[in-house]
Amino acid sequence: MPHYRMFIDGEHVDTDESFDMVNPSTGEVWATVAKGTTEHVDAAVEAAQRAFESSGWRDTPMADRADLIDRAAARLADRLDELSALAAQENGVPVRLAAGLLIGMPIMHAQHFAEMARSFEWEAPVGEAGLVRKEPFGVVAGIVPWNVPLVVGTWKVIPAIATGNSVILKVDEKTPITELALAEALTAEGLPPGVLNIVTGDAEEVGNHISAHPGIRKVSYTGSTPTGRTVMRHAAENVKALTLELGGKGANIVLEDADLDRAVDGSLWAFLVNAGQACESGTRLLLPESIHDEFVDRMIARMKTLTIGDSSDPATDLGPVVNARQRDRISHYLEIAEKEGATVAYGGTLSGPQYETGYWIHPTVLTDVTNDMKVAAEEIFGPVVSVLKYSTVEEAISIANDTEYGLSAGVWSTDNDRALDIARRLDAGTVWINDWHVLSGQLPFGGFKQSGFGREMGPNALDEYTQEKAISFDDGAPREEKLWQAVLSTPPSAAS
């Protein structure tokens, strides 16, 4: 059985205790991973600080750093099929999707960050008497979820090391493999020991220790809003910088003039990717009363064509959820939905021998939903969409914004100007028009309200891992004309 170790100070580190890694399609333990503790975090911080101070990485020319990142990305690309298969085993993402989303996308983003690094401006003059200089924080940490681990890990690691920081990456014990592969690829291409360290461990013990550690100057966390609040509290102890990308309840607004064939497929894509286990999923579907029934019927007919099965099968469209806890949590929300008056327009139990093991949730469409129901207000994190009716566009915008979240939203229309006008009025960090889950490295990603703050990707992705220093030059004015005279009013000759 494969066993995966942590990666600290350029070496693989094992422990006496380990986590079981369970294949969501079968429920079987197929690998183990070392179980880290606070002592491993401390060792990683020491290694990272030592690397920041003496490895020479922070002084390496940006072009050389960018070249190293590109070479590491090429190494991952050479392992695309292997890593896609492993990713499918880790968290149940269908292998066909894993190749594009879980492995292919982060490779492209790493290459994009490398290109950004080549033109990064460390110092810029301001007026005639000053300049603004950017400098790395030093030791920074990333805390990564299990749903798209290498995607989010790349967003944190590559900008951080590109700008000269050292990194501790806390990975989820269910999905450590692809982040370890990233560390191994970077190290093989010459990244000094200690610049990137990978640790595992229980969230409450290890995650909280990272958030509160005085040697870590910034934490970038991706995960649930409740845990994000905990990270903030711990980070406040040392007033450390934060980026928080938290939960979502994306409103997907279909207008009457939308191309229905396109909008139906796109709306399924919006909430079914990774069995709905994506923070920016479109899980609230807002439909005009005039097309509600037709749209729901079309969507259900399309869902019946999906192949639901083992994530390792290339023919699979939709796989299992990650574990029994997640399956039971989603099932509980479906029970609540019916008690609150929602209708299960499509759903039920998956039957057949292939579903007797593993963690399966039937993709579900809930109608007769109102925005005050739990299934419309809370993040379910599963293949479930809540359909809400609206009568006017103003009502749709009001419903969309009536949430504590603000991560994503979408608008479907054949009138781009009209869609853009609505997009500008939605309280969300990302709004897609006639699409969903488009995560371009050129655009920033992050949330409004309780979906967090700070941005990953976009034109300022590297800036997120630097701090600004203002340097001011003497303006050359005679001494007697300086503002000093407000305090030193006695002429020097008289003072002597």
Side-chain angles (χ1 to χ4, degrees), residues 160-233:
I161 65 170
T163 47
N165 297 278
S166 296
V167 182
I168 292 95
L169 190 68
K170 195 274 182 189
V171 302
D172 192 286
E173 66 277 3
K174 294 182 285 298
T175 56
I177 298 174
T178 52
E179 297 107 314
L180 286 167
L182 175 63
E184 291 160 359
L186 289 164
T187 301
E189 291 301 335
L191 189 72
V195 175
L196 175 57
N197 307 274
I198 309 289
V199 298
T200 59
D202 291 322
E204 290 189 3
E205 178 188 2
V206 172
N208 289 348
H209 192 60
I210 287 173
S211 301
H213 201 294
I216 296 173
R217 300 302 177 189
K218 170 169 180 164
V219 173
S220 178
Y221 168 77
T222 298
S224 72
T225 296
T227 303
R229 298 188 189 107
T230 300
V231 171
M232 286 188 71
R233 285 194 292 270

Side-chain angles (χ1 to χ4, degrees), residues 13 70-71 99 102 183 239 281 308 327 332 334 340 358 418 474:
V13 175
D70 272 338
R71 295 195 304 270
L102 267 62
V239 197
S281 289
I308 304 171
R327 177 198 62 199
H332 181 61
L334 294 178
E340 290 186 327
R418 186 184 185 203
D474 173 26

Side-chain angles (χ1 to χ4, degrees), residues 472-494:
S472 178
F473 302 103
D474 173 26
D475 60 8
R479 183 170 58 175
E480 59 271 16
E481 296 179 10
K482 301 293 284 186
L483 189 58
W484 310 340
Q485 303 310 315
V487 175
L488 305 173
S489 57
T490 304
S493 56

Side-chain angles (χ1 to χ4, degrees), residues 98 133 221 270 349:
R133 174 176 171 78
Y221 168 77
T349 301

